[in-house]
Amino acid sequence: MLRVTKLRYGFPIGLLLFFYLDGILGAAFPKQLFNYPYTMSSYLVVLWLVYSIYFEDQITIPLGIWAAVAGGLFDLYYTGIFGIFVFVFPIVVALTRACYKAFPINFLSGLLVYFIDITVVCALSYFGNLVVHLTSASFADMLVYSLAPTLAYNLAAYVILYFPVQWLFNRLKN
Amino acid sequence: MNKFFSNRRLVIVIVCLIVSFGLMSVSVAIRNKRSTPPLIQQFGNDVVGLVNRVVAWPVNGVKGSVTAVSDLLNTYQENQRLKSQIQELAQTKVHDQALTQQNTKLKKELKLSHTLTDYTAVNATVIARTPSSWQDQVIIDKGSAAGIKKNMPVLSGSGLVGRVSEVNRTNSKIELLSNSSESANRFAVQITNKSGSTVNGIVTGFDSNKNRIEMGNITSKTKIEKGDKVMTSGLGGIMPAGLLVGTVTATGTDNYGLASKVTIKPAADISNLSYVTVAVRQSQTTN
């Protein structure tokens, strides 16, 4: 079904754009995003994947594979440690799909699901970095200095972009 | 729950976990041992980096206009401050020139070609920052094609900010001083106090709450005071000597009361980087 709509171009372009924005926003506004000791990690690429699940309707995009590709690029290009996000992104997609089946998704319940998604991404990336000794931060530090600001940033992005992206998906589907 | 963890799914989950840990340990091992990542990874990173520059262009345009406004508001105060500094700078510059000339003449007489303080600068632009709390890392737009090698020191404005951690053909990754990983910020540094004696040591950590560099394991009894300048010593590896790291803000003993610990205020603003300079040392060592 993906083949017949404009989404076949729109979805990958959006995914790549959000992927690059994650890194570029961090470089362009470091004072705002990385205000020591608080660090906000931008996961806009996850936001795009989650939006795709909410707005795809009958068109089933092979999101698991796209998530793994985006995760692989994220690992190689941004972190340099392959093997964390390449698994975390598909897990998030599976989780969101499960939630989508369990209850109706609207703006507010979608926000809560995205809250859970970001928490999962943060926690798993923290444990991944912990086991390969790239960080020695304690779990409590992670909650206060990393998870809380990251949630604030990403949920704000969700609220701001929800309606524009919904409009965009509706345009691309027809 | 029973249904979710059916036999097949459980096996898949466990296999994925094992593969994930395997991949992570392999890539960390490669990163620690080899000077460049595998060829496929390098090629992929180069391609991704190329598109990154295209996407970054409009974002930087927006950022430019935002900073232009805030710069305009600060212009008067900044002008006052700079005027007072510029008098001093002109003098220092002339003095510096004379000293450099003298230095090259003396070196020629001693038949020294390159000493530890000589380095060439490669300027680069920061194109992205790792969106992660655990790796303070930025990506710059110069790579091995511009002569950058792994572990080279990176400066911004007035001081040291980090070192090169991964080199591709046309871009490379920089681990910042503020990185909390175990191998990130071990720089060989020295402190010269007012009376001229020096203390050698290694940067042992970064206190991100206070934005201070920590230098520990100092057993020398030489008196270090607040305000003393800290610079790289050029010992070990490919680091040139004489790069400013920061100024001493406090001295004390470490948690066990045995060795002394020095707290250093970084000379460069580590959290705000747009342009950086990679220092390529000219004198080669065999290691």
Side-chain angles (χ1 to χ4, degrees), chain B residues 22-33:
Chain B
L23 284 172
M24 277 194 281
S25 3
V26 166
S27 54
V28 169
I30 288 174
R31 190 179 134 103
N32 290 344
K33 290 201 180 102

Side-chain angles (χ1 to χ4, degrees), chain A residues 22 33-34 38-44 74 85 118 122 125 145-147 149-151 153-154, chain B residues 130-134:
Chain A
D22 279 339
L33 291 180
F34 296 93
Y38 300 98
T39 48
M40 294 177 179
S41 319
S42 165
Y43 292 120
L44 291 178
F74 205 94
F85 289 104
I118 291 298
C122 276
S125 89
Y145 296 134
S146 167
L147 181 62
T150 303
L151 274 173
Y153 169 87
N154 284 288
Chain B
T130 303
S132 161
S133 310
W134 317 117

Side-chain angles (χ1 to χ4, degrees), chain B residues 114-116 118 281-285:
Chain B
H114 294 300
T115 53
L116 290 179
D118 290 325
R281 187 163 99 177
Q282 288 175 332
S283 80
Q284 297 299 318
T285 48

Side-chain angles (χ1 to χ4, degrees), chain A residues 19-20 23-24 70-82, chain B residues 41-53 56 126-131 137-141 166 168 170-173:
Chain A
F19 168 81
Y20 283 118
I24 293 166
L73 280 181
F74 205 94
D75 275 341
L76 288 179
Y77 187 61
Y78 285 136
T79 65
I81 307 295
F82 191 73
Chain B
Q41 189 179 344
Q42 256 191 69
F43 178 72
N45 281 343
D46 284 334
V47 174
V48 176
L50 211 66
V51 186
N52 190 337
R53 274 166 237 187
V126 174
I127 52 173
R129 181 169 172 140
T130 303
Q137 195 167 259
V138 294
I139 299 163
I140 58 167
D141 67 344
E166 184 192 306
N168 303 306
T170 56
N171 57 42
S172 32
K173 293 191 179 73

Side-chain angles (χ1 to χ4, degrees), chain B residues 3 19 45-47 55 59 64 79 86 89 93-95 115 130 140 152 175 187 192 194 223 229 266:
Chain B
K3 205 176 154 197
V19 171
N45 281 343
D46 284 334
V47 174
V55 184
V59 177
N79 197 9
I86 210 155
L89 188 71
K93 218 172 169 182
V94 174
H95 190 63
T115 53
T130 303
I140 58 167
M152 278 177 175
E175 261 183 343
F187 288 98
T192 310
K194 304 245 164 24
K223 185 113 178 92
K229 294 264 185 292

